[in-house]
Amino acid sequence: HLLAARFSVAAACVLTALSLYTILWMIAEARAVVLNPLLVDDVELVARWGMLARERVPLGLIAWVGECEPAVPRKERLDLAAMGGRAVWIELAEPLEVRGITGKRRTVRALKVSPDEPVAFKQALCLRG
């Protein structure tokens, strides 16, 4: 910003404003990751990761739930787990089309999530699935 100010004060002000906006957006995203829960009802699992991703998985598609990585290629996995959280993998009986951050569609066969209570989460999926 100081280097840009040597050439244009207006450009330096714009860069500073964009930097502040980016910091606020990062803080909001970090809070959204914490505040957006995994939701399980009688029909579907809603898995969220902050403000960026929300996927709806019909319970009938869930083939397996566990802590071991499934034998699915990396490009067919969707990682919605929080860093440092205890991972729970959800393997699907058939591929599910999801939309990425940029809106690009891709097919996934496994999801990685990090519920607060992994045992209760697995039980909820197994009882309803």
Side-chain angles (χ1 to χ4, degrees):
H1 302 257
L2 294 175
L3 181 61
R6 293 184 72 177
F7 300 103
S8 171
V9 173
C13 290
V14 169
L15 284 174
T16 301
L18 287 173
S19 295
L20 291 173
Y21 176 76
T22 302
I23 290 168
L24 289 175
W25 188 86
M26 288 172 29
I27 292 169
E29 179 62 28
R31 288 298 301 154
V33 168
V34 173
L35 296 175
N36 282 329
L38 296 166
L39 303 173
V40 180
D41 63 17
D42 294 334
V43 179
E44 66 185 359
L45 160 70
V46 179
R48 299 178 185 175
W49 198 84
M51 300 179 292
L52 300 176
R54 181 183 72 203
E55 298 304 330
R56 296 179 180 277
V57 180
L59 295 182
L61 281 182
I62 297 174
W64 174 83
V65 180
E67 296 180 9
C68 299
E69 282 190 35
V72 174
R74 283 196 186 272
K75 68 178 184 175
E76 294 182 351
R77 297 178 186 179
L78 180 61
D79 188 350
L80 298 174
M83 284 192 288
R86 189 169 161 195
V88 173
W89 286 93
I90 302 166
E91 189 170 358
L92 305 175
E94 54 187 70
L96 178 69
E97 189 174 89
V98 298
R99 203 174 265 198
I101 296 169
T102 60
K104 183 178 176 184
R105 294 183 181 271
R106 70 181 183 119
T107 303
V108 298
R109 291 183 13 213
L111 284 86
K112 180 182 175 185
V113 296
S114 54
D116 293 334
E117 297 178 25
V119 174
F121 177 73
K122 288 189 279 187
Q123 288 175 347
L125 288 180
C126 291
L127 291 176
R128 291 187 172 105

